[in-house]
Amino acid sequence: MSRSPGRKQENHKISRELFVLTYGALVAQLCKDYEKDEDVNACLDKMGYSIGIRLIDDFLARSAVKKCRSYSETADVIAQVAFKMYLGVTPSVSCSNTTGNEFSLILDKNPLVDFVEELPAERASLCYCNLLCGVIRGALEMVHLAAEVSFLQDRLKGDAVTEIGITFLRKPEDRKHRRN
């Protein structure tokens, strides 16, 4: 039995839509379970971190990327390969400082908010997509890159774009192993 060429893409779209709807239900349930947005944000980050430390194995196996030699190369791989592979979007990357350890991933379209119009006024400090920050942080940690990851701008909060900031916490020379 043969499959039509468009069938796989259709399944991918259905899977993404199911994920986005399920994610929305998860965030809604967390908002019911926790009174404070900070608690919901922390829970989403923790869940994302757990996903990230497991997802990195799949990413490395499926993408066949080589070892990154710089933080800018790492940020490019996250944007051009990982986001494309798992979310179907490619954010643009910009370096935020002269030391080369702070980057921004700028998403013109965030697929996690496809079915969200706006955040309720009483949830103004909710970081709806904080799961993504945890995923990135967890995956980077598994390849021995400590980083702080947070949302700098969010369309759900009225910003023009969605921007995720990544700050690598060690200098590049700190990553090299020294031999005794």
Side-chain angles (χ1 to χ4, degrees):
M1 193 173 201
S2 66
R3 286 187 175 172
S4 62
R7 183 89 173 140
K8 186 174 182 178
Q9 187 177 20
E10 182 181 311
N11 285 340
H12 176 70
K13 184 177 180 179
I14 292 169
S15 297
R16 191 180 97 189
E17 287 176 354
L18 179 62
F19 173 71
V20 170
L21 289 170
T22 304
Y23 182 74
L26 170 73
V27 174
Q29 185 60 49
L30 289 173
C31 288
K32 289 178 184 176
D33 292 346
Y34 297 101
E35 290 181 23
K36 296 181 182 176
D37 290 344
E38 293 77 20
D39 295 336
V40 175
N41 294 342
C43 188
L44 289 170
D45 182 74
K46 185 177 177 182
M47 292 169 82
Y49 178 82
S50 294
I51 292 168
I53 62 175
R54 288 165 182 80
L55 192 65
I56 190 67
D57 288 332
D58 178 70
F59 172 75
L60 292 173
R62 289 178 54 204
S63 68
V65 296
K66 303 286 185 210
K67 182 178 180 180
C68 296
R69 301 194 184 279
S70 67
Y71 290 142
S72 64
E73 192 176 334
T74 302
D76 286 339
V77 166
I78 292 169
Q80 296 172 4
V81 181
F83 267 77
K84 183 70 172 174
M85 185 183 293
Y86 294 107
L87 294 175
V89 296
T90 305
S92 59
V93 179
S94 66
C95 185
S96 306
N97 67 357
T98 56
T99 59
N101 71 324
E102 292 182 14
F103 296 87
S104 290
L105 303 177
I106 301 167
L107 293 128
D108 292 325
K109 184 176 186 319
N110 182 351
L112 289 182
V113 298
D114 280 352
F115 303 109
V116 180
E117 291 180 20
E118 62 183 31
L119 294 175
E122 65 272 8
R123 292 290 185 177
S125 60
L126 176 67
C127 191
Y128 183 84
C129 296
N130 213 37
L131 182 93
L132 292 176
C133 294
V135 170
I136 295 168
R137 190 172 52 84
L140 287 172
E141 188 172 301
M142 292 308 293
V143 292
H144 307 289
L145 292 172
E148 289 179 358
V149 184
S150 61
F151 274 88
L152 304 176
Q153 295 185 72
D154 193 344
R155 279 195 174 181
L156 289 178
K157 295 182 179 182
D159 296 318
V161 295
T162 298
E163 180 179 4
I164 301 172
I166 302 173
T167 302
F168 293 98
L169 300 176
R170 291 187 211 125
K171 296 177 186 171
E173 59 270 8
D174 291 344
R175 296 185 330 172
K176 296 177 182 171
H177 298 287
R178 296 182 186 168
R179 291 189 174 182
N180 295 333

